[in-house]
């Protein structure tokens, strides 16, 4: 009785504080030896699979948590419905080898030296250890072992799945295709798929379409994650597109090399999602005794729509993925020189910008491209990572000292994986790039890709970065990567092994990042790839933030940022305020509009401060001050996408609620008024209905020059129920108008 009372009290406290995430419970993984059913529980979900009569491992359930003791009948082979549908294909499997009669996407496909390409994986053993489970499978005949790893996050219910393939035969074998996992959804046809598409300067468009019979392939063949698709998906039951309600299964692949996620609805209407290394141009020879480990494919479930799916992922990234998890430090307000000075950097110019940046409250000053080698433009210098003596005759120290004296820390741009043919490095080591001997070497932005899979290249890259960090007081690296692969050859590896480049390149990238962080513990890193070309849960294990797009137009950014947050937390989403008119669309917007667009992520400034007027500095200083009051909520809170700017919407409204429920922050932006229609009412989410919240305007006052005009007077203080149910009418009118306010819980610390 007493215990139950305590539990209820805890539950009420959790609800009252608005915390949406269950506390960890113990004993989350169980195995029923009688039925041979495994059950994983955590974060409000249950995931179950079983070993069937043929010893195949078969998915049984993935969804909202079942009651303890609920029946989960043993798995059994589906004998098929016709001679054209073999049992191998009609029985869903957790991790299917390509063999017997498998017609859907396999998780693993192997070619043996004797020509055999048949692989049938059966259960051998398992091991449960706290929140993780390993399962060993083996081919029915040969000593090929596959260890499946499952780990459940007790707070979000997100499962991490991966596979380790081991060759215990006496001959080498070749892996032609290797996934991390296959996720199976309940039988049905009423599903719709969300995914992200884009291109350079146009990332993260949200696509939403019905799942049809056949396969939808999301992928990158580019050697890295890519701007074009992102390794994330969400599948909704039905197709209402309702942000906050409905069953949604979602997943994200933690891999920054070529990848593929295949969403299939087979002939018997089974929907499954398989993801891992991209099998295109892939082969990986495993010598006897060797292993190949797949990336981790994370998957989750929510009953709170795609908005709920995003919030679970955000929480998971902040508490489990990021290098500073579970308590990443808030992103400092940053200044970056790129859009102001381009390649034309020097000591005096950067110092002048630093002084101006410090005056508005910037906390980190970052010098971008142009400081090294013979880098006058993008034709030369990449690979030669010495400080350019003409631009910085005394090295970087005077600039760094100056930045420190202004109370900021110092960050520097690097692009470690690239080389310009016009560089000392390339003249010395032309064989260090990806290439096929005797073939042309296609350049992108006048540069080639260093083959990081090579140990000597890996050591060179680590070595110069370590030296740079040893010699200079650098708090932050903006790690750029400005082209995709071409001619992905690795001649030195030998013909049989050179396609291992698809795995070893990225593994070495991760190992460099990891080693640098271990050696330089205070160091923070941003992943940039000409904008958002390398954003995924793999790189986020080693980097603290990402650059979502080179497109800094504050209106375009709204939809890029909106799409970005489907998969990734605003806590890693750098967003700069730059100049107007913006270089992308020649669009003119006010300083305030630009700030209110960027303040929805991790705020930065990238404008040419030498051109700013005193009133611009005043607005910037005021809004940076306001941002510091809300950044914990914006970066680490719960995001509600109240009105989406996708599909040419005129409106965009986001709300972030602090994890402890003490604050909510709302940004409302208007493209252009038409026909005198009012701005739609805003109904908040995630507040405590019974608590009182006081409004505080972040943007200019109603009688000020800028955007906000209220349709009807708003109360200064009202209950959470009022703000959520009565709603808020903002009279935003005109072109590119914006307003922002926060609600502070009265009496909250
Ligand atoms: C890429 C980045 C930009 C800038 C330039 C520098 O395009 O995305 O932000 O750093 O490189 O060359």
């Amino acid at each position: 009785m007493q215990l139950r009372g305590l539990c209820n009290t805890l539950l009420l406290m959790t609800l009252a504080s608005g915390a949406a995430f269950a506390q960890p419970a113990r004993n989350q993984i169980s195995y029923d030896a009688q039925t041979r059913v495994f059950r994983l529980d955590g974060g409000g979900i249950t995931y179950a699979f079983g070993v069937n009569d043929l010893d195949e491992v078969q998915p049984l359930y993935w969804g909202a948590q079942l009651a303890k003791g609920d029946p989960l009948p043993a798995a059994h082979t589906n004998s098929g419905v016709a001679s054209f549908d073999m049992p191998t294909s009609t029985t869903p499997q957790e991790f299917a080898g390509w063999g017997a009669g498998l017609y859907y996407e396999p998780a693993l496909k192997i070619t043996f030296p004797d020509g055999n390409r048949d692989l049938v994986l059966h259960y051998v053993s398992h091991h449960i250890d706290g929140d993780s489970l390993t399962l060993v499978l083996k081919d029915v005949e040969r000593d090929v072992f596959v260890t499946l790893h499952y780990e459940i996050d007790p707070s979000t219910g997100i499962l991490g799945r991966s596979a380790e393939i081991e060759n215990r035969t006496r001959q080498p074998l070749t892996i032609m295709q290797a996934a991390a996992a296959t996720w199976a959804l309940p039988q049905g046809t009423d599903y719709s798929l969300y995914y992200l598409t884009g291109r350079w300067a146009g990332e993260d468009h949200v696509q939403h379409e019905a799942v049809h019979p056949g396969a939808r392939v999301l992928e990158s063949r580019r050697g890295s994650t890519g701007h074009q698709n992102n390794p994330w998906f969400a599948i909704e039951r039905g197709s209402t597109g309702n942000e906050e309600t409905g069953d949604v299964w979602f997943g994200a692949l933690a891999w920054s090399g070529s990848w593929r996620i295949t969403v299939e609805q087979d002939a018997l209407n089974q929907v499954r999602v398989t993801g891992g290394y991209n099998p295109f141009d892939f082969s990986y020879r495993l010598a006897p005794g060797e292993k190949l480990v797949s990336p981790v494919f994370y998957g989750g479930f929510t009953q709170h729509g795609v908005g709920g799916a995003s919030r679970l992922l955000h929480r998971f990234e902040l508490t489990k993925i990021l290098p500073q998890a579970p308590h990443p430090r808030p992103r400092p307000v940053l200044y970056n020189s790129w859009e102001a000075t381009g390649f034309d950097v020097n000591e005096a110019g950067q110092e002048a910008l630093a002084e101006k940046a410090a005056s508005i409250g910037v906390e980190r000053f970052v010098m971008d491209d142009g400081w090294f080698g013979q880098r006058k433009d993008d034709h030369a210098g990449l690979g030669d990572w010495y400080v350019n003596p003409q631009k910085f005759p005394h090295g970087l120290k005077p600039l760094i000292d100056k930045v420190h004296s202004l109370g900021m820390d110092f960050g520097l741009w690097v692009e470690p994986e690239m080389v310009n043919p016009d560089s000392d490095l390339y003249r010395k080591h032309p064989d260090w790039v990806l290439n096929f001997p005797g073939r042309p070497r296609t350049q992108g932005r006048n540069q080639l890709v260093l083959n990081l899979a090579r140990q000597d290249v890996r050591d060179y890259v680590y070595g110069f970065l370590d030296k740079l960090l040893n010699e200079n007081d650098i708090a932050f690296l903006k790690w750029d990567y400005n082209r995709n692969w071409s001619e992905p050859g690795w001649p030195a590896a030998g013909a049989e092994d050179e396609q291992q480049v698809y795995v070893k390149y990225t593994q070495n990238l991760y190992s460099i990042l990891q080693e640098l962080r271990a050696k330089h513990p205070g160091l923070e890193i941003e992943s940039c790839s000409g904008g958002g070309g390398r954003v995924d849960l793999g790189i986020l294990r080693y980097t603290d933030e990402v650059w979502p797009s080179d497109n800094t137009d504050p209106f375009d950014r709204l939809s890029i940022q909106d799409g970005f947050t489907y998969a990734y937390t605003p806590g890693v989403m750098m967003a700069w305020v730059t100049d107007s008119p913006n270089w992308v669309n020649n669009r003119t917007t006010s300083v305030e509009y630009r700030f209110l667009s960027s303040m929805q992520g991790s705020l930065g400034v990238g404008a040419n401060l030498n051109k700013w007027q005193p009133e611009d500095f005043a607005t910037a200083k005021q809004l940076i001050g306001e941002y510091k009051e809300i950044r914990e909520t914006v970066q680490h809170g719960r995001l509600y996408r109240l009105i989406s700017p996708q599909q040419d919407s005129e409106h965009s409204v986001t709300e972030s609620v602090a994890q402890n429920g003490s604050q909510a922050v709302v940004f409302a932006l208007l493209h252009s008024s038409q026909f005198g229609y009012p701005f739609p009412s805003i109904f908040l989410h995630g507040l405590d209905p019974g608590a009182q919240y006081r409004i505080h305007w972040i943007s200019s006052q109603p009688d000020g020059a800028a955007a906000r005009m209220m349709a009807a007077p708003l109360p200064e203080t009202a209950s959470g129920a009022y703000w959520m149910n009565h709603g808020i009418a903002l009279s935003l009118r005109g072109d590119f108008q914006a307003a922002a306010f926060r609600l502070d819980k009265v009496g909250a610390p």
Side-chain angles (χ1 to χ4, degrees), residues 338 343 368-369 413 445 478 480 482 528 530-531 547 550 576:
W338 173 244
F343 297 97
D368 209 277
D369 200 348
W413 180 95
R445 208 195 191 201
K478 174 176 170 183
D480 214 334
N482 275 315
C528 172
W547 181 229
D550 278 351
W576 304 344

Side-chain angles (χ1 to χ4, degrees), residues 395-467:
L396 296 178
K397 191 165 186 316
L399 172 61
I400 296 178
D401 287 349
K402 173 78 178 180
V403 166
H404 288 165
S405 76
L406 292 164
M408 300 181 290
D409 68 23
F410 180 77
L412 193 63
W413 180 95
V414 288
E415 193 176 0
E417 300 152 81
M418 298 289 167
V419 65
N420 288 116
D422 185 1
S423 66
D424 296 342
L425 184 72
Y426 189 71
R427 283 182 279 272
K428 197 166 164 203
H429 295 293
D431 53 330
W432 275 14
V433 297
L434 294 173
N435 75 94
F436 292 120
R439 308 289 305 168
R441 299 179 178 191
T442 305
Q443 294 182 25
R445 208 195 191 201
N446 313 302
Q447 62 198 53
L448 297 167
V449 183
L450 288 172
N451 182 358
L452 221 56
R454 289 174 60 124
Q455 192 59 35
D456 47 5
V457 174
R458 187 238 175 254
D459 293 346
Y460 168 77
V461 169
Y462 174 79
F464 83 71
L465 287 167
D466 183 42
K467 182 161 178 284

Side-chain angles (χ1 to χ4, degrees), residues 533-611:
R534 194 155 62 188
V535 182
D536 57 78
L537 293 192
I539 205 78
L540 281 174
R541 290 203 187 107
Y542 307 100
T543 55
D544 306 271
E545 61 187 54
V546 298
W547 181 229
S549 182
D550 278 351
N551 185 340
T552 54
D553 177 304
F555 174 70
D556 283 5
R557 265 295 179 117
L558 294 177
S559 61
I560 293 172
Q561 293 178 176
D562 177 80
F564 182 97
T565 65
Y566 275 67
Y568 304 106
T569 164
V572 300
M573 183 176 78
M574 273 315 297
W576 304 344
V577 172
T578 58
D579 286 317
S580 177
N582 187 277
W583 64 273
V584 180
N585 297 313
N586 204 31
R587 179 177 285 125
T588 301
T589 53
S590 68
V591 175
E592 185 173 81
Y593 181 91
R594 281 175 263 154
F595 263 95
L596 297 192
S597 171
S598 296
M599 284 163 70
Q600 297 174 58
S602 298
L603 179 63
V605 177
N608 188 349
L609 301 180
N610 296 324
K611 294 193 180 151

Side-chain angles (χ1 to χ4, degrees), residues 675-726:
F675 310 110
Y677 287 125
F679 196 85
S681 292
I682 302 170
F683 300 94
L684 300 194
H685 279 65
L687 304 180
D688 177 354
Q692 292 289 311
Y693 293 85
R694 182 175 300 122
I695 195 165
H696 166 91
W697 288 95
I698 292 169
S699 53
S700 55
Q701 297 304 304
D703 56 352
R708 190 176 62 80
M709 290 197 301
M710 287 177 290
L714 287 173
E716 284 206 348
T717 303
S719 69
Y722 178 92
W723 299 115
M724 292 193 289
N725 303 326
H726 175 277

